[in-house]
Amino acid sequence: MRFSLFSRRNLLFALTGIFSSVLALAGFSLLADSSWFLGIFFIVSALLTIRIYWAKSNIHAKYIFPGVALLVLFHIYPAIYSGQVAFTNDSNGHQLSKSQAIDAILEDSRIPVESQSPVKYQLATRISDGEIFAIFRFPGLNLVAGNSNQMMLIGGSQTVINSDGLVKSAKGFKILQPNEYTLHAEQIQSLEVRLGSSQVLIPDDFDYLTLYRPGRTYSEARDEILDIATGVAYHPNQNGQMANSSGEVLYPGWKANVGFRNFTSIISNEEVRRPLLAVVAWTFINAFLIVTLSFLMGLVLALIFNFPALRSKRIYRTIFITPLAIPSVLSILVWAGLFQTSNGVINRLFHSEIPWLTDATWARIAIVLVEIWISFPYMFLITTGAIQAIPGEILEAASIDGASHYKSFRLIKLPLVIRTVAPLLVASSAMALNNFGVIYLLTGGGPSLANSNGNAGATDILISYTYKLAFNSQEGNNYGLASALSILNFIMVGLMSIYGLRRIKTMEGVN
Amino acid sequence: MKFSRSKVKYWMTKLLWRHIVGILVAAFALFPLVWMISAAFDVTGQLSTQKLIPTFSGFDNFQSLFSNTEKPYTTWVRNSLVIATAAALLQTSIGALAAYSLSRHKFRGRRVTLTTILIVQMFPQLLAATTLFLIINSLGQTFDFLGLGHQLPLILIFGGAALGVNTWILKSFFDTIPSEIDEAAKIDGASHALIFMKIIVPLATPIFVVIFLLSFIGILNEYLITSVILGLDGPSMTIAVGLQQFIYGSYAKNWGPFTAGALLATTPVLILFIFLQKYLISGLVSGSTKG
């Protein structure tokens, strides 16, 4: 065999080599920025690229690897990450780490020292690094510049003082004029000056600092917050909060592991359970209605229009499947407009005043109508396919034996059609259980359920309710509970799909 | 004469009611499209006072759609086209590679691989939106072009989406290509890559068109992850995210430009769909006819 520098094989070696070097370099830069997961992911991908594409064996891996890599990064990792959130109490008031939460509690407890009148100060930036300082003089003491990190004396010959007692210039500092404050707004807002270990000076405004002393202290050794005035001790509780012996808690709390509590609260906590039961019930009813009604509609249409003498059946078929071709975000929003109560197109058409979208029952009907509109074309197509696949001889034999149209439909066509499309119906049901778009765009899950003391709505299905729990601040951004629900949802839909897949012949290797 | 009377009778009993049903169902199927068209040309810009035949206003709604500098429709169209085309191409090719291997190569865990890919994607990506945001955010800290507000990370996210379904449809199509063809090629010394490029890909072109178009429409429709990754700045939005801005809020529902934009976005997809109908149906129905 002639050696060629530019053979296909060498080209493949070179390309994958370059590609994986780029990946590895990217991985190391990510590690340097302490993005641990991403860094490791990139480096492992680089190694696997070499391992898979430079080897002669395991041909299948060469073809499956790109898909699996994207799957790991954008599906499996996020799923595991949100899965792990399900075992925490991550929600509003529980998003900080423990040390951040304790700092916040201590800051909240500060009490002004009344014996000390406010101290006049000026804002300045240090020229060397731009850091913001407060320049002030305690009565009878030297002139100092300080912030939360350090404090230094700045008196001496190089400091010029105006006649009104304010500093005009100081070495190493630039005194800020009021019109420059907005440039440094963020730093000025967090400015404070620590005095010793516990007292702190905090600006009241742009002119005066007030002295504060702590109202509570934290002891790391005992993991305890002590109220100085009352002597009451607070200890961490199960819920990621500091609580005293009578159960009073300090805010904010922190993100803590709560084990299976999110899952058990679904059963044991009345406030979680009541709206959830209603939502789950509607999730199943909704999916059942969509799949059965659109299947029946599709089947009936397939039977009616699978009629050879009907010459225009092609035109009808094209029209029937247009809902599949209109981007559904847009069509659902148009439907929402048509369903308006006052003067809405649909109400004017039927001379009615139906409160579509705002009354629980009518909103559910509207949802089902739109969902049927979206999914009947698909059902029409698959049932048409199934009917056309029935061997003509069977139907002929039946009619020779004297079977009526109805009998040959009920005893031959229907069972055969159902047998062929059953797996697809299972898949459709799995999708219908997660049908977020229609709910979110048409009613937003509303109207609110009467007895749900939260945002659960009459048309909310599990996924839209979960979305609200996580992303709606009125529901407390309860990521923990939302993740627990999405795990349950995933198990439910997953089991259904596995059941459906087991019945599909395509899964069984080469025909 | 007698012949033609029986023909009329046949038409009355067998065909007339079919046409009636057909027209009713067609009215249902076209209902929102018809109103979309009518509102796009109407002067009022309010779906509520809309009549079926619009008070024709010329192309005012289209003009106001294109002249709105805060809501740059043409930029949205370009964004959508770039993202949807690139991601659909990525989806189709990644799916094709995986499906080829699952259809042709014998290896252990084949069935498990396919099932796993399918099941993993049942985890609602909606809730993973926060995690995706965090991933893209930290990627962007190191590599600006892979960060929030850029299209490349979104293309990669969508490129791996729907892998399960696509692989499944493609595999069932590849399975119908007789394996004798590639075995003969293998005996003649063709490599696995050559068989894929020269035999499978040309024979499977119709199904690629199907997968590409379905992915394309699916990506055009996505708005949640798109808005999380791209943000809600005027110029970075896509059609699906952007057009909603016209009808957000209860006071400023501006149906005129919305329907005009929706109509412009729908028309090309609809035309493609009608022309490629035959292929698309075969792709959608695949699996139903081989019980």
Side-chain angles (χ1 to χ4, degrees):
Chain A
M1 213 190 217
R2 196 169 61 90
F3 176 80
S4 154
L5 188 63
F6 298 106
S7 73
R8 260 194 204 159
R9 199 163 170 74
N10 285 346
L11 202 66
L12 178 78
F13 269 52
L15 282 179
T16 50
I18 293 168
F19 180 69
S20 60
S21 323
V22 172
L23 277 185
L25 276 177
F28 285 117
S29 332
L30 284 162
L31 284 185
D33 286 349
S34 50
S35 305
W36 306 117
F37 167 77
L38 286 170
I40 293 170
F41 175 83
F42 273 70
I43 291 170
V44 170
S45 309
L47 293 175
L48 280 177
T49 307
I50 298 286
R51 169 78 184 74
I52 289 172
Y53 293 98
W54 286 18
K56 274 195 164 176
S57 56
N58 285 336
I59 295 167
H60 62 272
K62 299 176 203 274
Y63 289 88
I64 296 177
F65 179 67
V68 171
L70 284 181
L71 207 63
V72 169
L73 183 56
F74 294 127
H75 283 266
I76 298 178
Y77 173 66
I80 292 175
Y81 184 92
S82 4
Q84 164 238 317
V85 174
F87 298 94
T88 70
N89 60 353
D90 192 345
S91 57
N92 273 355
H94 289 281
Q95 273 156 353
L96 303 171
S97 70
K98 187 176 171 186
S99 63
Q100 288 171 320
I102 286 171
D103 284 347
I105 290 173
L106 295 183
E107 263 175 43
D108 282 350
S109 75
R110 285 169 180 164
I111 303 162
V113 179
E114 279 167 18
S115 59
Q116 173 66 56
S117 53
V119 179
K120 180 89 184 150
Y121 81 107
Q122 286 168 278
L123 285 163
T125 56
R126 184 155 66 187
I127 291 163
S128 58
D129 56 7
E131 225 180 295
I132 293 281
F133 280 81
I135 292 180
F136 61 95
R137 185 202 299 272
F138 253 123
L141 293 173
N142 286 322
L143 198 62
V144 290
N147 63 16
S148 57
N149 298 322
Q150 51 188 307
M151 194 147 78
M152 61 194 84
L153 288 168
I154 55 163
S157 57
Q158 281 161 319
T159 303
V160 184
I161 314 257
N162 284 338
S163 57
D164 57 3
L166 291 176
V167 177
K168 191 177 177 203
S169 68
K171 192 192 175 206
F173 288 93
K174 178 176 175 294
I175 306 290
L176 288 182
Q177 300 306 316
N179 60 0
E180 295 170 299
Y181 291 169
T182 47
L183 284 176
H184 307 276
E186 217 170 286
Q187 273 181 286
I188 293 174
Q189 222 158 39
S190 58
L191 181 70
E192 58 179 43
V193 184
R194 287 182 193 279
L195 297 176
S197 63
S198 56
Q199 295 197 322
V200 60
L201 282 164
I202 297 171
D204 287 333
D205 47 32
F206 292 124
D207 292 317
Y208 287 98
L209 300 167
T210 298
L211 184 66
Y212 286 84
R213 61 181 168 81
R216 302 187 186 112
T217 56
Y218 175 67
S219 147
E220 210 164 326
R222 278 177 292 177
D223 198 10
E224 165 187 278
I225 285 181
L226 200 67
D227 194 301
I228 295 171
T230 60
V232 175
Y234 294 82
H235 296 277
N237 70 4
Q238 295 284 302
N239 193 27
Q241 283 165 318
M242 283 293 188
N244 65 13
S245 51
S246 55
E248 280 170 53
V249 295
L250 301 175
Y251 294 97
W254 60 90
K255 190 164 138 181
N257 281 324
V258 295
F260 281 92
R261 212 188 56 197
N262 285 321
F263 294 92
T264 53
S265 76
I266 293 168
I267 301 164
S268 60
N269 186 339
E270 171 72 17
E271 278 184 28
V272 178
R273 190 182 55 201
R274 197 168 357 98
L276 195 62
L277 275 181
V279 166
V280 169
W282 170 244
T283 307
F284 281 99
I285 295 171
N286 179 50
F288 176 78
L289 286 178
I290 307 171
V291 175
T292 24
L293 292 180
S294 57
F295 170 68
L296 283 180
M297 182 165 172
L299 178 66
V300 169
L301 289 179
L303 287 169
I304 293 177
F305 290 93
N306 189 33
F307 189 73
L310 187 70
R311 285 216 212 96
S312 43
K313 62 174 181 289
R314 281 252 164 99
I315 298 170
Y316 283 125
R317 192 181 68 181
T318 307
I319 294 175
F320 291 173
I321 62 172
T322 45
L324 289 176
I326 305 174
S328 62
V329 191
L330 305 176
S331 59
I332 295 168
L333 288 171
V334 171
W335 274 110
L338 300 177
F339 271 123
Q340 281 167 10
T341 306
S342 59
N343 280 323
V345 167
I346 294 172
N347 273 344
R348 274 190 288 134
L349 209 63
F350 295 107
H351 299 287
S352 56
E353 277 287 328
I354 296 170
W356 306 99
L357 312 186
T358 46
D359 171 81
T361 311
W362 287 111
R364 287 176 178 150
I365 293 174
I367 291 272
V368 172
L369 255 173
V370 173
E371 281 169 340
I372 290 177
W373 180 83
I374 290 175
S375 48
F376 92 86
Y378 175 67
M379 296 293 181
F380 169 64
L381 290 179
I382 61 172
T383 43
T384 303
I387 289 174
Q388 286 173 348
I390 297 174
E393 304 91 63
I394 301 182
L395 296 173
E396 232 168 80
S399 82
I400 289 169
D401 286 350
S404 64
H405 273 302
Y406 172 71
K407 268 199 166 166
S408 87
F409 165 72
R410 197 176 64 90
L411 296 175
I412 300 170
K413 278 190 193 169
L414 190 62
L416 279 176
V417 167
I418 287 187
R419 219 193 61 152
T420 28
V421 302
L424 295 173
L425 290 186
V426 176
S428 300
S429 312
M431 269 193 267
L433 287 174
N434 268 337
N435 199 348
F436 178 77
V438 178
I439 311 272
Y440 181 76
L441 294 171
L442 201 62
T443 63
S448 287
L449 279 175
N451 60 349
S452 80
N453 71 318
N455 263 348
T459 54
D460 258 325
I461 58 173
L462 198 49
I463 182 123
S464 65
Y465 182 55
T466 313
Y467 178 80
K468 275 187 189 170
L469 281 178
F471 296 107
N472 189 327
S473 54
Q474 279 173 305
E475 290 277 358
N477 290 106
N478 198 336
Y479 294 111
L481 182 59
S483 298
L485 286 184
S486 57
I487 288 180
L488 292 182
N489 191 21
F490 173 58
I491 292 174
M492 193 172 80
V493 177
L495 284 179
M496 244 178 110
S497 318
I498 291 175
Y499 171 78
L501 289 174
R502 291 182 82 97
R503 304 185 48 164
I504 297 181
K505 288 274 164 56
T506 345
M507 295 295 290
E508 288 166 6
V510 185
N511 289 7
Chain B
M1 197 61 197
K2 200 182 169 200
F3 173 68
S4 112
R5 189 176 297 159
S6 80
K7 206 175 168 190
V8 169
K9 195 180 162 213
Y10 181 79
W11 196 87
M12 293 292 280
T13 55
K14 298 276 181 186
L15 293 179
L16 178 62
W17 67 274
R18 285 191 158 87
H19 283 294
I20 293 174
V21 174
I23 288 165
L24 285 177
V25 176
F28 177 58
L30 295 178
F31 193 68
L33 183 64
V34 167
W35 287 99
M36 193 198 282
I37 296 170
S38 137
F41 292 101
D42 194 83
V43 74
T44 55
Q46 294 298 322
L47 258 185
S48 50
T49 49
Q50 182 69 45
K51 295 193 178 57
L52 184 58
I53 306 297
T55 317
F56 188 70
S57 69
F59 295 92
D60 282 4
N61 288 325
F62 294 89
Q63 254 161 21
S64 74
L65 179 70
F66 284 108
S67 59
N68 192 331
T69 45
E70 272 173 47
K71 303 190 174 90
Y73 182 73
T74 34
T75 318
W76 298 343
V77 172
R78 202 176 54 226
N79 293 343
S80 288
L81 281 180
V82 169
I83 294 169
T85 311
L89 271 178
L90 196 60
Q91 268 192 27
T92 314
S93 36
I94 288 178
L97 290 174
Y100 169 58
S101 193
L102 289 166
S103 166
R104 287 302 198 269
H105 300 137
K106 304 255 180 281
F107 60 92
R108 270 179 47 187
R110 195 158 56 140
R111 195 185 163 118
V112 175
T113 310
L114 186 48
T115 323
T116 312
I117 297 175
L118 265 171
I119 301 294
V120 161
Q121 293 193 324
M122 304 256 161
F123 191 86
Q125 232 188 354
L126 266 185
L127 286 151
T130 351
T131 322
L132 288 173
F133 177 85
L134 294 175
I135 293 180
I136 301 306
N137 188 29
S138 55
L139 265 178
Q141 309 273 312
T142 313
F143 305 105
D144 187 45
F145 63 98
L146 284 176
L148 297 170
H150 291 271
Q151 296 176 345
L152 188 59
L154 196 63
I155 292 170
L156 289 175
I157 291 177
F158 290 148
L163 179 68
V165 185
N166 291 345
T167 309
W168 178 37
I169 296 178
L170 285 165
K171 176 189 175 291
S172 57
F173 188 91
F174 291 171
D175 284 349
T176 63
I177 299 173
S179 60
E180 288 80 26
I181 303 181
D182 38 298
E183 263 149 36
K186 203 186 266 176
I187 293 167
D188 289 345
S191 69
H192 55 88
L194 203 66
I195 293 173
F196 178 65
M197 293 306 295
K198 295 275 148 108
I199 296 174
I200 304 286
V201 170
L203 283 174
T205 311
I207 200 77
F208 289 145
V209 175
V210 174
I211 300 288
F212 177 83
L213 210 64
L214 292 179
S215 309
F216 187 86
I217 296 177
I219 295 161
L220 278 190
N221 263 327
E222 213 289 332
Y223 52 92
L224 257 165
I225 293 173
T226 309
S227 60
V228 166
I229 301 296
L230 293 184
L232 291 174
D233 291 338
S236 65
M237 284 191 276
T238 59
I239 301 178
V241 182
L243 277 181
Q244 288 181 56
Q245 312 281 316
F246 279 109
I247 51 169
Y248 267 159
S250 33
Y251 299 105
K253 284 196 195 305
N254 211 343
W255 287 99
F258 170 81
T259 45
L263 185 62
L264 284 180
T266 302
T267 312
V269 182
L270 198 63
I271 291 173
L272 264 180
F273 207 92
I274 290 170
F275 276 105
L276 300 172
Q277 206 187 132
K278 209 178 85 191
Y279 295 134
L280 281 164
I281 291 172
S282 75
L284 284 171
V285 175
S286 75
S288 80
T289 47
K290 25 187 332 199

